[in-house]
Amino acid sequence: QFRLVESGGGLVQPGGSLRLSCAASEFNLENYAIGWFRQAPGKEREGVSCISSSSSTTYEDSVKGRFIISRDSAKNTVYLQMHSLKPEDTAVYYCATEWLVCTFYNANRYSKMNYWGDGNQVTVSS
């Protein structure tokens, strides 16, 4: 019933840009924090960025200065704008929710996130 759908991924050359979208249906994201996660082949899922219900943001060191997370409440959507993409950014990207602030995201307790999308592939290659 409650759904998150990621979109906007694809194939891009190193140094290029993509914007991922996380759109919610049948519930309002206003009171949720939204985290972006990624999982590369052979690696564990890792946090990328998180935005709270009040739009406070946090980024992993590997993406600081390159990625920007934002939300558009009117569209019930959270975005991840990615610039200066590197091959090591290649992964399946997921969005997920928790209540108000990025508590579970910051604690690496990802299994406690309540709603997850099905993921979207980003491939950075020349």
Side-chain angles (χ1 to χ4, degrees):
Q1 182 177 356
F2 301 102
R3 298 176 181 177
L4 292 173
V5 179
E6 303 96 336
S7 63
L11 176 64
V12 65
Q13 293 185 339
S17 298
L18 286 173
R19 188 180 73 167
L20 299 179
S21 298
C22 176
S25 63
E26 301 185 13
F27 71 103
N28 196 328
L29 289 178
E30 183 177 5
N31 290 322
Y32 290 91
I34 309 297
W36 281 100
F37 305 83
R38 64 188 181 186
Q39 188 164 21
K43 295 184 178 180
E44 295 183 350
R45 187 170 299 186
E46 64 176 351
V48 177
S49 184
C50 190
I51 185 167
S52 74
S53 64
S54 63
S55 295
S56 297
T57 60
T58 185
Y59 300 90
E60 299 301 305
D61 288 342
S62 62
V63 306
K64 285 181 179 178
R66 299 191 297 121
F67 291 9
I68 301 172
I69 190 170
S70 63
R71 70 195 305 149
D72 187 334
S73 295
K75 296 181 179 180
N76 209 27
T77 299
V78 170
Y79 302 100
L80 185 68
Q81 181 68 58
M82 304 182 292
H83 296 293
S84 301
L85 284 162
K86 304 174 181 179
E88 49 264 48
D89 295 317
T90 296
V92 177
Y93 283 71
Y94 302 86
C95 62
T97 64
E98 63 178 303
W99 187 246
L100 293 179
V101 295
C102 301
T103 302
F104 295 134
Y105 175 92
N106 289 331
N108 295 324
R109 298 182 67 185
Y110 305 151
S111 64
K112 297 294 185 180
M113 308 291 285
N114 46 13
Y115 301 117
W116 287 84
D118 289 333
N120 198 233
Q121 178 72 46
V122 172
T123 302
V124 185
S125 177
S126 60

